[in-house]
Amino acid sequence: MRTPTTAEAVAWAEVLVRHQLLHAAVLAPNGQWLTQDRPKSPVRVLDGPAAMVELAAEIQHRIRTTENRTR
């Protein structure tokens, strides 16, 4: 399994914020990601691109699971 690139993580972060699945996702100079679910929720620190891509996968899984329950 290959490691996700920063470019992939940036793309996922933009999609998550654009679709309002995250309130904010900011790439810090040290390569960590600062994310926030809602405007007043605590800031979460993710360690690198792989963690951001993993968060995107978790959100997708949660959405799909919820959609399947409502059908």
Side-chain angles (χ1 to χ4, degrees), residues 8-18 22 25-26 33 52 56:
E8 289 172 300
V10 168
W12 276 112
E14 289 175 357
V15 167
L16 294 173
V17 171
R18 185 179 326 122
L22 280 180
V26 177
W33 283 89
M52 174 53 77

Side-chain angles (χ1 to χ4, degrees), residues 8-58:
E8 289 172 300
V10 168
W12 276 112
E14 289 175 357
V15 167
L16 294 173
V17 171
R18 185 179 326 122
H19 290 280
Q20 299 177 351
L21 299 168
L22 280 180
H23 172 68
V26 177
L27 177 59
N30 66 357
Q32 291 180 319
W33 283 89
L34 307 176
T35 65
Q36 194 174 27
D37 294 335
R38 294 175 310 281
K40 294 186 180 183
S41 66
V43 173
R44 186 173 14 176
V45 179
L46 304 178
D47 194 25
M52 174 53 77
V53 173
E54 184 176 312
L55 176 61
E58 290 171 10

